[in-house]
Structures are given as structure tokens and as C-alpha cells.
């Protein structure tokens, strides 16, 4: 492959001042400089993240070549900004990617390279695939080999790691992936000094993986809402989030902060790593510069460096509700001038309602507060055209309570199911349920969704804040189903729930039944393939195979009731145990496997 044509690319990322709103206040200038320095120091990793997320099939060698070239250009331009290549202004990373000889054709994105500016970015974005079943399994190294590889070349080792993680998580924001990389390096340094390296890696990897999964789900859900429903829904989500987290913030300050948040998501959701880092840094700098009026609990967070500062603020505890804040805000339900105020500026009026209701109800979930706002908005549309508007909207509080009661009953049913079925029974319940309502999703996606529901309920159903916890986490699972891209299509019923109303998609999914448009295959490839390799598999791998068996069985026989499906899973387990204990496992599988297949096909 020839030398990359990256002339002038680095100027866009690091020295492009013409298109940036440069800060003028001393504190802002300092924050901007700090962010700039962080970007310059991490140019290689940032390039890898962006390239691997956009072109998921690209090899590590291709990605590494671009990263090295970027680092070289950075060094050249930092040394001498008068060089010709440091004065040109191409269209960011995608210009460089399209200039890599043979790469567009090899990875089938030539059509994107014929487009320019926003259309090109959108084309690359729509090429991202959340289901990464087309990629090989994540490589696993022996702990000793891992430690030796890190010791030999730590930069190459970490670059390879962030490449593998980025292409398997194409919608995760760059700051989150950089944080994961930092935590992985800390883990490696610690575990490579331990006697029992394997146990150390296994233990310390768990919180890192959980952190990545949690942030990935949240970011996909919010970006999906933003891209499907527009900036107004994004704004509403963050009015709730920020008002609950910082209940003493003034509405004017909140409005100013929301502008920075909206700008940040423009870059983060599109996959513009540099703009995402800049945007989030600006949001966090805004919060830290107004600690007295926003929050008293983030002082230690604000003293941290990028990107730890942002992660710390995001995961900080909610502030206590101010003592002077009344439990109820009557101006939205008892004020005779509600309709006049609403008609003056509907967006501002509804934003104020959501702000006041959220900061007073920190125990409610984000989706529930959005439902209440939707109920209130619909009520006012009706009442402000009625003969006596105040009488009409005086029932608003009872409407809110009714909405919350319905949501609470959903959560109670789910937690009762957890108590009755246990962890494994609950998992099988959701494998069957999700496969019946969305059988065209891949087996890996369906098992992932079922496991997500189990995590949500096992995490939340024993907590005092059970309702908000369950409702928030289950909404993230639904976000995984609906996806980020606006053009994602599953089936008419699921698409309707995903695209009609963001706040009420949970009740919509609750009402879904079997997909009537689905035509089951005559046989499921691999479903009835039994081999002696099953006898050598570890318990976890064997359990995953059982999980996949159940999902594929539902795809084959979606009309069967749960009670009729689960016995076949037991038959599968018994067959594996029986044949693995036989004198000749291969012969046993060859004889017993077809028998089980025939029984299932005729059921």
C-alpha cells in the first residue's frame, strides 16, 4: 500500500481555528488549551477509534498505518506550522480514509467517497453495524503472553486493544473508549506483577466490561433518540437528567448548559471523535465553572484531568433537593393563565414544566418524566381549546399519578417474575419473548437482549429505588433493539414502537405479541449439529450454546408456547450429558442427535 495522502489533514484536527468558536474568557482559554493538548497527545488512539468505528472490517495494519501517519504529521506541524502541508484544509479523517489506495474498494465504501461534507459523513455513519457477528471472536491471549506483549511494546499492544474494542462498539463515544484504554493499562500493570495473573485479569476485567456495556447502551439510546426524533427529544432527556442531578440549578443556567450538550451530541453521535472530545470537555468546563450555582458534590471531579473529569461528573451522586423547593409546583396546574403562558412559547413552557417536575421528583425515571410531560402536553392541547381551560387542566396531577401507576405496575410485574423464575428462568423467559417479537434479529443480538433484561432486573429489583432503576435500565435494552440508525427496520410492530413515541415505547413493547409477518425456516442450520467438541467445552461456553439452541428453536417453532419450548432445552442438555458420558461420544451424538431433531420437527 502506498504512502497515505494525508496532506494537510492534521491542520483540521488540531490547528483549525477558523471553524471553531474560540473562547475569550481566561478560564475558557485554559480549558480549551488543556483539551487541545489532550487531543494532540492522543492523536494516534483518536485516529484508531474513528477509523475502526467507521470501517469495522479494516485490518489492524491498515488502521495502524493511518495512526502512525497522523502522528508524524502532528509532529511535523507542531515543529513548523509554516510547512505547506500544514496550511491546507481537507475534509477531516474521511478525506484521508478515502485517499488510502485500494481501501474504499476493498471494504466497499467507494460510494461514500463520491459524496462530500455532511452527505459523506452520513454515508459512513449509516455503514456502521451494531451487530458485529461478521467479525471474528475477540482474540484471547494467555496472561503470560499478554504481559510479555505489553512489556515488549506497550503502545502497539494498547493500540491493538482499542482497535478491537472500537470496531466492536461502533457507537461508543471516543472519550469513553479512551477511558477504557486507561483502565485496561492500569489493569495490565497491576496484574502482570501478580503471581496469579489469570485470576487477577479475570477479576479486574469485570468492572471495565460492565462500564463499557453500560455506557454503550446509554449512548446508543440517547443517540438513537436524537437521530430518530430530533434535537427536541435530546433536549428533553437532558432537562430531566440535569434537573434531577443538579436540582438547585436555575432554569436560565440549565438552558445555557443544554446548548453545550446539544452541540456535543452533534459530534459524538456522528462519530466525530475530536468534536466529541471538545464538546464534552466544554460541557464539563461549564459545569465546573459554576459549582456554586450548579452542584456542591463535584469539586473533586473538577480537579481531575480529561477524560476522568467527565466520567467522574457523569457518575457523581445526585445533589439533595433544596430545602426551600416545595414538593409540588402548582403554577402548571392551578394557575388560570397556563394557556396564555403556553401559547406565548410552547417549547420554553414545556421545558420549564419538565425542569420543575424533574427536580422535585428525583425518584422517578427519565422515561417516566418524559411520559408525564407528554401527558401534560396532550392535556393542554385539549384544554386550551375548551370552554373553561382551568377546570379542564385541574385534573393534571391525577393524570400524572395515573401514568406513573401504570408504569409502576409494569415494574412490579417484572420484579415478581424475577422473584418467581430466578436468574436462569428469567433469562429463558426473555430469550423466548424477544425472539417471538423480533425473530429476524440475529441469535447473538437476541441472547444479548435477554441477558440485558436479566442484568436490569437482578440489579434493580432489590433496591429501594427499584422503580427508577428498572425503568431506566429496561429502556436501555429497548434502545438496543431500536438501534441508532434511523433506517434500522425489524418488523412493522417493532418499528412502530421504536419510531412513534420515545417516551411511551416501553408500554408499546409490553403489548407486543408474536411477529405475524415472520415465516420460520423449514430447518435451522446448525441447530441439530452435535459433536464431541461439546464435551470439551467449559461450563460458560456450554451454557452459551444452550442459550443459542433455545433462541434458534424459537425461530424455528415460534408458535409453540413457553411451556412447550423449555422441555426441548432440557432434552438438549440431557443428550449432551448422556453422550459425553458414553464410551464413544461421537457415535452417540450421531445416533441420538437426529432422533432429537426429528422429534422437534414434528412437534
Amino acid at each position: 500500500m502506498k504512502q497515505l495522502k494525508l496532506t494537510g489533514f492534521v491542520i483540521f484536527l488540531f490547528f483549525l481555528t477558523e471553524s471553531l468558536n474560540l473562547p475569550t474568557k481566561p478560564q475558557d482559554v485554559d480549558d480549551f488549551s488543556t483539551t487541545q493538548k489532550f487531543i494532540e497527545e492522543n492523536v494516534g488512539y483518536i485516529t484508531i477509534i474513528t477509523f475502526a468505528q467507521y470501517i469495522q472490517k479494516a485490518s489492524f495494519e491498515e488502521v495502524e498505518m493511518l495512526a502512525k501517519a497522523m502522528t508524524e504529521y502532528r509532529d511535523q506541524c507542531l515543529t513548523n506550522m509554516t510547512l505547506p502541508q500544514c496550511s491546507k484544509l481537507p475534509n477531516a479523517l474521511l478525506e484521508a480514509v478515502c485517499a488510502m489506495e485500494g481501501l474504499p474498494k476493498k471494504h466497499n465504501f467507494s460510494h461514500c467517497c463520491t459524496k462530500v461534507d455532511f452527505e459523506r459523513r452520513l454515508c459512513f455513519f449509516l455503514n456502521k453495524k451494531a451487530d458485529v457477528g461478521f467479525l471474528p471472536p475477540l482474540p484471547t491471549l494467555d496472561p503470560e503472553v499478554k504481559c510479555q506483549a505489553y512489556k515488549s511494546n506497550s503502545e502497539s499492544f494498547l493500540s491493538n486493544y482499542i482497535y478491537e474494542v472500537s470496531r466492536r462498539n461502533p457507537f461508543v463515544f471516543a472519550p469513553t473508549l479512551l477511558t477504557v484504554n486507561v483502565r485496561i493499562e492500569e489493569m495490565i500493570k497491576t496484574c502482570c506483577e501478580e503471581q496469579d495473573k489469570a485470576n487477577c485479569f479475570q477479576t479486574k476485567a469485570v468492572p471495565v466490561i460492565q462500564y463499557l456495556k453500560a455506557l454503550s447502551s446509554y449512548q446508543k439510546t440517547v443517540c438513537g433518540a436524537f437521530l430518530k426524533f430530533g434535537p427536541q427529544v435530546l433536549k428533553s432527556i437532558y432537562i430531566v437528567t440535569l434537573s434531577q442531578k443538579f436540582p438547585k440549578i436555575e432554569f436560565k443556567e440549565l438552558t445555557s448548559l443544554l446548548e453545550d450538550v446539544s452541540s456535543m451530541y452533534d459530534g459524538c453521535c456522528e462519530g466525530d471523535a475530536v468534536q466529541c472530545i471538545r464538546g464534552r470537555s466544554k460541557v464539563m468546563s461549564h459545569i465546573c465553572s459554576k459549582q456554586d450555582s450548579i452542584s456542591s458534590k463535584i469539586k473533586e471531579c473538577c480537579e481531575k484531568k480529561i477524560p476522568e473529569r467527565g466520567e467522574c461528573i457523569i457518575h457523581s451522586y445526585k445533589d439533595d433537593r433544596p430545602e426551600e423547593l416545595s414538593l409540588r409546583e402548582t403554577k402548571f396546574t392551578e394557575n388560570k393563565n397556563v394557556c396564555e403562558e403556553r401559547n406565548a412559547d410552547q417549547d420554553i413552557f414545556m421545558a420549564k414544566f419538565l425542569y420543575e417536575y424533574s427536580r422535585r421528583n428525583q425518584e422517578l425515571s427519565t422515561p417516566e418524566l418524559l411520559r408525564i410531560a407528554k401527558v401534560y402536553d396532550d392535556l393542554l392541547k385539549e384544554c386550551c381549546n375548551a370552554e373553561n381551560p382551568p377546570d379542564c387542566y385541574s385534573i393534571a396531577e391525577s393524570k400524572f399519578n395515573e401514568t406513573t401507576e401504570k408504569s409502576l405496575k409494569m415494574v412490579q410485574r417484572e420484579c415478581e417474575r424475577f422473584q418467581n423464575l430466578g436468574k436462569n428462568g428469567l433469562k429463558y423467559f426473555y430469550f423466548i419473548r424477544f425472539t417471538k417479537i423480533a425473530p429476524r434479529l440475529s441469535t447473538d443480538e437476541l441472547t444479548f437482549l435477554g441477558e440485558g433484561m436479566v442484568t436490569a432486573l437482578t440489579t434493580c429489583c432489590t433496591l429501594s429505588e427499584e422503580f427508577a432503576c428498572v425503568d431506566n435500565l429496561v429502556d436501555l435494552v429497548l434502545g438496543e433493539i431500536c438501534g441508532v440508525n434511523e433506517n434500522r427496520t425489524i418488523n412493522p410492530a417493532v418499528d412502530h414502537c421504536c419510531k412513534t413515541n420515545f417516551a411511551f415505547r416501553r408500554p408499546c413493547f409490553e403489548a407486543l405479541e408474536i411477529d405475524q409477518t415472520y415465516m420460520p425456516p423449514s430447518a435451522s442450520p446448525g441447530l441439530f449439529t452435535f459433536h464431541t467438541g461439546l464435551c470439551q467445552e467449559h461450563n460458560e461456553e456450554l451454557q452459551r450454546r444452550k442459550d443459542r439452541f433455545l433462541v434458534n428453536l424459537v425461530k424455528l417453532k415460534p408458535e409453540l408456547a413457553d411451556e412447550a419450548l423449555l422441555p426441548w432445552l432440557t432434552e438438549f442438555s440431557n443428550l449432551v450429558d448422556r453422550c459425553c458420558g458414553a464410551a464413544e461420544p461421537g457415535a452417540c451424538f450421531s445416533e441420538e442427535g437426529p432422533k432429537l431433531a426429528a422429534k422437534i420437527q414434528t412437534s
Side-chain angles (χ1 to χ4, degrees):
M1 191 174 290
K2 295 181 179 179
Q3 171 66 31
L4 302 181
K5 300 175 183 177
L6 291 171
T7 305
F9 171 42
V10 74
I11 185 70
F12 180 90
L13 286 179
F14 309 113
F15 309 108
L16 172 56
T17 58
E18 291 89 336
S19 67
L20 297 173
N21 296 316
L22 293 179
T24 54
K25 297 177 183 177
Q27 176 66 39
D28 292 341
V29 171
D30 287 345
D31 289 333
F32 183 87
S33 299
T34 301
T35 306
Q36 187 87 343
K37 184 179 179 183
F38 175 79
I39 291 170
E40 290 168 6
E41 290 173 347
N42 289 277
V43 58
Y45 291 144
I46 293 169
T47 304
I48 290 170
I49 290 169
T50 307
F51 193 3
Q53 287 188 323
Y54 275 137
I55 318 297
Q56 291 163 273
K57 287 186 178 180
S59 69
F60 177 63
E61 290 71 27
E62 290 165 336
V63 174
E64 193 175 36
M65 178 184 291
L66 184 60
K68 286 180 178 177
M70 277 296 307
T71 304
E72 289 172 8
Y73 275 96
R74 175 203 64 186
D75 294 342
Q76 288 177 15
C77 293
L78 284 174
T79 303
N80 185 0
M81 277 293 293
T82 62
L83 291 172
Q85 63 263 37
C86 299
S87 62
K88 297 182 180 179
L89 199 66
N91 188 25
L93 178 63
L94 299 184
E95 187 75 27
V97 171
C98 288
M100 291 179 72
E101 188 173 327
L103 198 73
K105 185 176 180 181
K106 178 182 177 183
H107 295 302
N108 195 30
F109 60 86
S110 301
H111 61 293
C112 293
C113 294
T114 63
K115 305 176 186 294
V116 296
D117 301 332
F118 172 75
E119 292 299 324
R120 177 183 281 182
R121 293 196 303 275
L122 180 63
C123 183
F124 274 96
F125 174 80
L126 293 176
N127 269 358
K128 289 185 177 185
K129 294 176 177 62
D131 182 6
V132 293
F134 61 92
L135 294 177
L138 190 65
T140 55
L141 296 176
D142 177 83
E144 293 291 348
V145 175
K146 193 181 298 183
C147 291
Q148 186 57 46
Y150 175 77
K151 185 178 179 181
S152 299
N153 190 333
S154 60
E155 186 175 343
S156 179
F157 180 88
L158 291 171
S159 294
N160 188 271
Y161 185 85
I162 204 167
Y163 154 78
E164 294 288 2
V165 173
S166 298
R167 69 188 189 134
R168 286 171 173 78
N169 296 273
F171 298 106
V172 174
F173 299 168
T176 301
L177 290 169
L178 290 169
T179 298
V180 167
N181 220 36
V182 169
R183 294 185 181 183
I184 289 298
E185 183 167 28
E186 290 171 353
M187 178 181 72
I188 291 170
K189 286 179 177 178
T190 300
C191 292
C192 288
E193 297 298 319
E194 294 290 323
Q195 190 71 30
D196 188 352
K197 294 179 177 61
N199 184 58
C200 179
F201 278 120
Q202 192 171 10
T203 303
K204 291 190 176 295
V206 172
V208 180
I209 294 168
Q210 289 175 338
Y211 165 84
L212 177 61
K213 283 184 176 180
L215 268 292
S216 173
S217 289
Y218 180 77
Q219 290 163 5
K220 281 193 278 189
T221 294
V222 176
C223 286
F226 178 40
L227 296 168
K228 288 183 176 71
F229 297 97
Q232 191 57 47
V233 167
L234 176 70
K235 181 181 176 183
S236 296
I237 290 171
Y238 269 89
I239 289 173
V240 172
T241 303
L242 295 170
S243 301
Q244 285 191 315
K245 194 175 191 68
F246 308 128
K248 73 175 183 179
I249 192 173
E250 295 292 335
F251 182 73
K252 184 178 180 182
E253 188 63 60
L254 174 66
T255 303
S256 174
L257 185 56
L258 285 170
E259 291 177 8
D260 290 342
V261 169
S262 296
S263 176
M264 176 189 83
Y265 271 93
D266 277 335
C268 291
C269 291
E270 280 186 15
D272 185 335
V274 172
Q275 187 57 36
C276 184
I277 293 167
R278 287 193 192 283
R280 193 165 81 159
S281 180
K282 187 177 180 182
V283 170
M284 300 310 163
S285 296
H286 187 145
I287 292 171
C288 289
S289 69
K290 302 287 181 68
Q291 292 181 55
D292 291 341
S293 59
I294 293 180
S295 174
S296 60
K297 293 187 177 181
I298 56 173
K299 186 176 185 298
E300 289 185 7
C301 292
C302 291
E303 291 170 354
K304 295 181 181 291
K305 296 179 180 179
I306 300 172
E308 288 85 359
R309 178 182 64 169
E311 301 298 327
C312 182
I313 291 172
I314 289 169
H315 293 97
S316 63
Y317 289 108
K318 294 176 183 176
D319 268 11
D320 298 327
R321 188 168 59 86
E323 291 182 6
E324 68 275 11
L325 194 64
S326 61
L327 289 173
R328 290 181 65 237
E329 177 53 271
T330 58
K331 69 180 181 182
F332 294 102
T333 55
E334 298 176 15
N335 179 5
K336 292 184 178 181
N337 300 318
V338 164
C339 291
E340 288 80 353
E341 292 176 15
R342 172 182 176 273
N343 292 339
D345 191 324
Q346 292 186 22
D347 287 345
I348 292 292
F349 179 84
M350 286 306 301
K352 285 182 177 178
F353 168 78
L354 200 49
Y355 157 73
E356 295 289 3
Y357 209 87
S358 298
R359 64 203 288 250
R360 285 171 167 79
N361 292 276
Q362 292 174 290
E363 77 286 354
L364 294 182
S365 65
T366 298
E368 183 57 26
L369 286 160
L370 296 178
R371 289 175 207 128
I372 288 169
K374 172 66 175 162
V375 166
Y376 183 56
D377 190 38
D378 288 346
L379 181 65
L380 291 188
K381 285 176 183 174
E382 176 187 338
C383 292
C384 290
N385 290 312
E387 188 174 331
N388 190 334
D391 272 1
C392 181
Y393 58 70
S394 65
I395 64 168
E397 287 285 355
S398 64
K399 286 274 192 184
F400 302 159
N401 293 337
E402 180 184 324
T403 303
T404 301
E405 189 62 32
K406 287 180 181 177
S407 300
L408 183 60
K409 285 180 178 176
M410 272 195 299
V411 169
Q412 288 172 339
R413 281 197 299 272
E414 284 158 342
C415 285
E416 284 172 9
R417 189 176 293 130
F418 165 57
Q419 299 296 341
N420 294 333
L421 297 179
K423 193 171 180 178
N424 272 341
L426 189 70
K427 180 175 68 171
Y428 297 145
F429 173 87
Y430 284 109
F431 283 168
I432 294 171
R433 170 145 180 76
F434 283 132
T435 306
K436 285 188 173 185
I437 67 173
R440 291 184 183 88
L441 292 180
S442 73
T443 302
D444 286 340
E445 282 183 285
L446 291 163
T447 55
F448 178 79
L449 293 170
E451 288 163 358
M453 286 297 297
V454 172
T455 298
L457 299 182
T458 54
T459 300
C460 302
C461 286
T462 55
L463 300 178
S464 56
E465 60 271 24
E466 173 185 284
F467 171 65
C469 182
V470 170
D471 206 35
N472 281 326
L473 291 190
V474 171
D475 190 66
L476 297 186
V477 176
L478 300 185
E480 294 280 0
I481 297 175
C482 295
V484 178
N485 289 340
E486 189 178 0
N487 63 352
R488 177 174 167 93
T489 297
I490 297 171
N491 63 50
V494 172
D495 293 348
H496 171 78
C497 291
C498 288
K499 297 176 181 178
T500 302
N501 187 286
F502 180 77
F504 280 92
R505 66 183 180 183
R506 184 140 136 74
C508 183
F509 270 97
E510 183 81 359
L512 289 184
E513 297 179 353
I514 187 171
D515 178 10
Q516 299 295 338
T517 67
Y518 175 68
M519 295 293 291
S522 55
S524 181
L527 179 61
F528 305 119
T529 302
F530 298 94
H531 51 80
T532 56
L534 291 168
C535 304
Q536 277 77 52
E537 289 181 342
H538 296 296
N539 288 339
E540 286 184 8
E541 183 56 39
L542 188 58
Q543 183 59 56
R544 278 194 289 271
R545 199 173 290 273
K546 291 177 183 178
D547 294 344
R548 293 175 62 82
F549 174 85
L550 178 59
V551 169
N552 288 327
L553 179 62
V554 180
K555 288 187 174 198
L556 187 65
K557 296 282 185 178
E559 74 283 356
L560 292 183
D562 293 18
E563 299 77 19
L565 287 162
L566 289 174
W568 293 120
L569 183 61
T570 304
E571 290 262 11
F572 173 87
S573 298
N574 291 343
L575 188 151
V576 171
D577 291 341
R578 188 165 61 252
C579 287
C580 287
E584 295 185 21
C588 178
F589 280 129
S590 297
E591 182 180 348
E592 297 296 329
K595 290 181 183 178
L596 177 60
K599 286 166 66 178
I600 291 175
Q601 291 283 15
T602 56
S603 64

